[in-house]
């Protein structure tokens, strides 16, 4: 059984036990009586197990996120070392486009309900007006900001349990999308937006 499943099982058992003990306590005047130490021990065990599996589940999610970031880094490195890139390294780099002409696109992005993460670490669009539709189901406030070389190009409103969007006219290139709530990007709420 996974740590996530065990966390949910222990959490449900803890909640059900609390309801049952409360119901018995309201119906039986002598409750818990001599059973008091056993009831307290049972709750201590359930609380300890729930907490332990919650921590283990969080660690599993962090490892999965690290693996996903590592895979994305490998894909970026692979793209950077492609033959087309090798040729462009030898030739002088073209000047950036003065305008972002093209059809653009609308991209979907969501925040994790339980952690500081987006559901995607990379997005791709055509040049032009690029819109990121952002869904935040979490009670924590998040936003989406589009940056390039540390310069903010567009930023959505910061909200919890809601939806918003952010748009920018983007020329071909590599951009960063991130949550600018303090500490969130550092915890992993950022990714790469490639416009080509």
């Amino acid at each position: 059984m996974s740590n996530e499943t065990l966390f949910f099982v222990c959490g449900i058992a803890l909640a059900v036990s609390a309801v049952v003990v409360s119901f018995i306590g309201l119906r039986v005047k002598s409750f818990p009586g001599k059973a008091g130490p056993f009831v307290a021990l049972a709750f201590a065990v359930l609380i300890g197990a729930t907490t332990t599996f919650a921590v283990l589940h969080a660690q599993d999610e962090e490892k999965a996120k690290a693996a996903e970031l590592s895979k994305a880094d490998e894909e970026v490195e692979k793209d950077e070392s492609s033959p087309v890139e090798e040729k462009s390294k030898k030739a002088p780099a073209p000047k950036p486009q003065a305008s972002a002409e093209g059809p653009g696109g609308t991209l979907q992005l969501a925040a994790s309900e339980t952690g500081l993460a987006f559901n995607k670490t990379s997005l791709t669009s055509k040049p032009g007006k690029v819109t990121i539709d952002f869904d935040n189901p979490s009670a924590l406030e998040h936003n989406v900001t589009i940056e390039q070389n540390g310069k903010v190009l567009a930023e959505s409103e910061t909200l919890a349990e809601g939806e918003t969007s952010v748009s920018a006219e983007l020329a071909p290139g590599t951009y960063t999308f991130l949550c600018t709530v303090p500490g969130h990007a550092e915890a992993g709420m950022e990714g790469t937006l490639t416009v080509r």
Side-chain angles (χ1 to χ4, degrees), residues 116-174:
L116 295 178
F118 290 125
N119 65 337
K120 299 175 184 172
T121 57
S122 63
L123 297 171
T124 305
S125 178
K126 297 192 179 297
K129 182 178 181 180
V130 177
T131 300
I132 299 176
D133 287 339
F134 176 61
D135 177 24
N136 180 14
S138 172
L140 288 174
E141 289 191 336
H142 298 300
N143 65 24
V144 178
T145 301
I146 300 173
E147 289 184 356
Q148 187 176 44
N149 300 325
K151 180 182 175 187
V152 174
L153 304 177
E155 185 173 335
S156 75
E157 67 178 314
T158 301
L159 53 76
E161 299 180 337
E163 297 178 356
T164 187
S165 64
V166 61
S167 297
E169 291 289 332
L170 302 178
T174 302

Side-chain angles (χ1 to χ4, degrees), residues 5-174:
T5 304
L6 290 170
F7 164 63
F8 286 120
V9 167
C10 290
I12 291 169
L14 181 61
V16 169
S17 299
V19 171
V20 169
V21 168
S22 297
F23 182 75
I24 294 171
L26 291 172
R27 298 287 181 194
V28 179
K29 289 185 179 185
S30 63
F31 185 79
K34 292 181 180 180
F38 296 110
V39 172
L41 179 63
F43 272 102
V45 168
L46 283 173
I47 291 169
T50 303
T51 305
T52 300
F53 289 118
V55 170
L56 291 173
H57 173 55
Q59 290 173 347
D60 290 345
E61 283 188 341
E62 287 297 320
K63 288 177 186 174
K65 184 169 51 172
E68 185 178 317
L69 288 174
S70 174
K71 182 179 177 184
D73 287 344
E74 288 174 8
E75 289 176 7
V76 168
E77 287 176 11
K78 182 180 175 185
D79 288 346
E80 288 177 354
S81 65
S82 68
V84 174
E85 282 292 322
E86 291 298 326
K87 289 178 185 175
S88 69
K89 286 179 185 175
K90 295 175 185 175
K95 292 183 180 179
Q97 293 182 355
S99 65
E101 296 179 3
T106 300
L107 310 171
Q108 305 300 317
L109 184 67
S112 168
E113 279 189 69
T114 57
L116 295 178
F118 290 125
N119 65 337
K120 299 175 184 172
T121 57
S122 63
L123 297 171
T124 305
S125 178
K126 297 192 179 297
K129 182 178 181 180
V130 177
T131 300
I132 299 176
D133 287 339
F134 176 61
D135 177 24
N136 180 14
S138 172
L140 288 174
E141 289 191 336
H142 298 300
N143 65 24
V144 178
T145 301
I146 300 173
E147 289 184 356
Q148 187 176 44
N149 300 325
K151 180 182 175 187
V152 174
L153 304 177
E155 185 173 335
S156 75
E157 67 178 314
T158 301
L159 53 76
E161 299 180 337
E163 297 178 356
T164 187
S165 64
V166 61
S167 297
E169 291 289 332
L170 302 178
T174 302

